[in-house]
Amino acid sequence: MGISTGKKLHLTPAISWLAVLLLLLLLPCISGAAAEAKAIDGSRSQHLTLGGKLLRGPESVAFDGRGGGPYSGVSDGRVLKWNGKARGWSTYAYSPGYNAKACTASRLRPAELTESKCGRPLGLRFHYGSGNLYIADAYKGLMRVGPGGGEATVLATQANGVPLRFTNGVDVDQVTGEVFFTDSSMNYPRSQHERVTATGDSTGRLMKYDPRTNNVTVLQDGITYPNGLAISADRTHLVVALTGPCKLLRFWIKGPKAGTSELLADLPGYPDNMRPDGRGGFWVALHREKTELPFGPDSHLLAVRVGADGQILQVMKGPKSVRPTEVVERKGGKLYMGSVELPYVAVVSA
């Protein structure tokens, strides 16, 4: 008893100093966490249901220059427009050769079997000045449909003589009208997207389409799984989501660094599309977390809001059954969430 008491008396100062040291080390993390905005509960949402027994996958969410929408591309190859609760969704655009009968999924003919022919629209973005909607279709390439919708025009199916294998994300410079888009892999189509991650495929490309000349320029190649992208608020650079590496890449399009790229952020999950948050940063949808487990609490990160410097400012959490592909913030704090798997667009109040 006496020896044990003596050891405690000698160790107490050391333990105290260790506790103080740990507290000092953790203070930056504690203050940083406190500075973050309150986490958003993505489980409390309104559903804009697509309709149709097997129709699903509103991957991207876009709004036109008048605030109409949302618009979203779905599993049968169409782009749909939301017209309010009374009317619901209607067909807005479709690719050349689209056939409703042949492209409507059934239990014997799921959408995965027809999407290479019917098209699979992924990224969507309007040019507000012209009213044109640009569509990154995984199989058809880069497309455009004019105001009022209808059959889309294919603008690009190759770059530098190499076919677009997996067209994915898109954004538009609203001043110049230039269109930036990604080709996630030169080896694997969307139907084999898991192979892009599993093999560490680094054949992805970032490109620019000039509507004045109809020319496509490869800005950077050799990228590992480039997915969604967004132009910065000052229009000096693009931010590209790299799905497999769980990172954000910044590519400079103006200034002394033009034509170069750099790492902007490491993310806690696998990113898909990204959209401006209206405050100089971006909302990045996360398909799932890096270390996500199938058991345990039914909650995971749905999206993160990052600042212009790549720092995480806010998070949205929700059930693991929801794996978003895009989050768009609108006035009034509403967040519209698309998913390649679910039969609805979710609307979450921040």
Side-chain angles (χ1 to χ4, degrees), residues 1-337:
M1 290 289 292
I3 295 175
S4 175
T5 303
K7 285 183 179 179
K8 286 182 181 178
L9 288 172
H10 281 91
L11 287 175
T12 299
I15 294 172
S16 299
W17 279 108
L18 181 60
V20 172
L21 180 60
L22 287 172
L23 181 61
L24 289 173
L25 290 172
L26 288 173
L27 272 176
C29 298
I30 295 171
S31 60
E36 290 182 5
K38 182 181 178 181
I40 297 171
D41 182 3
S43 65
R44 304 179 65 179
S45 62
Q46 173 192 357
H47 295 172
L48 309 183
T49 304
L50 298 177
K53 294 181 179 180
L54 299 176
L55 192 62
R56 57 185 173 80
E59 202 266 359
S60 183
V61 180
F63 291 83
D64 61 36
R66 297 180 178 179
Y71 299 74
S72 192
V74 293
S75 57
D76 68 359
R78 292 178 296 157
V79 173
L80 305 182
K81 178 184 178 181
W82 176 255
N83 303 284
K85 291 183 179 180
R87 293 181 56 197
W89 295 94
S90 63
T91 299
Y92 183 75
Y94 46 87
S95 63
Y98 173 82
N99 180 286
K101 184 177 181 180
C103 295
T104 300
S106 66
R107 298 198 179 278
L108 297 178
R109 188 183 59 197
E112 288 78 7
L113 295 180
T114 61
E115 65 178 25
S116 62
K117 292 183 179 180
C118 300
R120 185 51 171 106
L122 298 178
L124 304 178
R125 193 66 164 170
F126 276 94
H127 177 235
Y128 302 135
S130 63
N132 291 328
L133 173 64
Y134 287 90
I135 305 165
D137 189 288
Y139 298 93
K140 304 292 185 179
L142 181 67
M143 304 193 301
R144 179 178 62 205
V145 64
E151 183 176 304
T153 299
V154 177
L155 302 173
T157 59
Q158 60 85 28
N160 288 352
V162 180
L164 301 178
R165 186 80 164 160
F166 187 174
T167 320
N168 203 330
V170 67
D171 202 358
V172 180
D173 185 322
Q174 297 297 337
V175 177
T176 66
E178 293 174 325
V179 182
F180 302 94
F181 65 107
T182 59
D183 182 24
S184 292
S185 172
M186 292 165 61
N187 293 321
Y188 300 104
R190 194 194 90 89
S191 59
Q192 295 179 293
H193 66 91
E194 293 180 351
R195 295 291 296 162
V196 182
T197 300
T199 63
D201 182 90
S202 296
T203 62
R205 296 179 287 177
L206 172 64
M207 290 159 290
K208 179 181 72 173
Y209 168 77
D210 189 335
R212 294 164 296 187
T213 63
N214 292 323
N215 289 333
V216 175
T217 304
V218 177
L219 301 177
Q220 184 171 331
D221 55 14
I223 310 174
T224 305
Y225 208 154
N227 197 324
L229 76 160
I231 191 169
S232 64
D234 62 5
R235 301 173 45 248
T236 61
H237 61 275
L238 305 170
V239 179
V240 185
L242 308 183
T243 299
C246 299
K247 299 179 186 296
L248 295 181
L249 179 76
R250 173 158 51 194
F251 181 89
W252 294 94
I253 53 177
K254 291 184 179 179
K257 292 185 178 180
T260 66
S261 62
E262 61 199 23
L263 176 67
L264 179 62
D266 279 300
L267 298 172
Y270 295 88
D272 204 299
N273 292 336
M274 51 189 302
R275 286 292 180 245
D277 66 355
R279 287 156 281 184
F282 308 92
W283 274 105
V284 185
L286 300 179
H287 192 65
R288 65 181 177 86
E289 294 182 31
K290 283 182 183 177
T291 57
E292 187 168 312
L293 299 173
F295 49 85
D298 184 24
S299 178
H300 70 161
L301 288 173
L302 300 177
V304 294
R305 184 168 69 85
V306 300
D309 59 357
Q311 295 299 309
I312 294 177
L313 304 176
Q314 194 170 17
V315 302
M316 178 163 62
K317 296 183 178 182
K320 293 178 180 178
S321 59
V322 176
R323 299 182 181 276
T325 47
E326 185 164 306
V327 172
V328 176
E329 183 171 356
R330 301 293 290 172
K331 292 180 180 179
K334 286 187 176 180
L335 297 167
Y336 289 77
M337 184 165 59

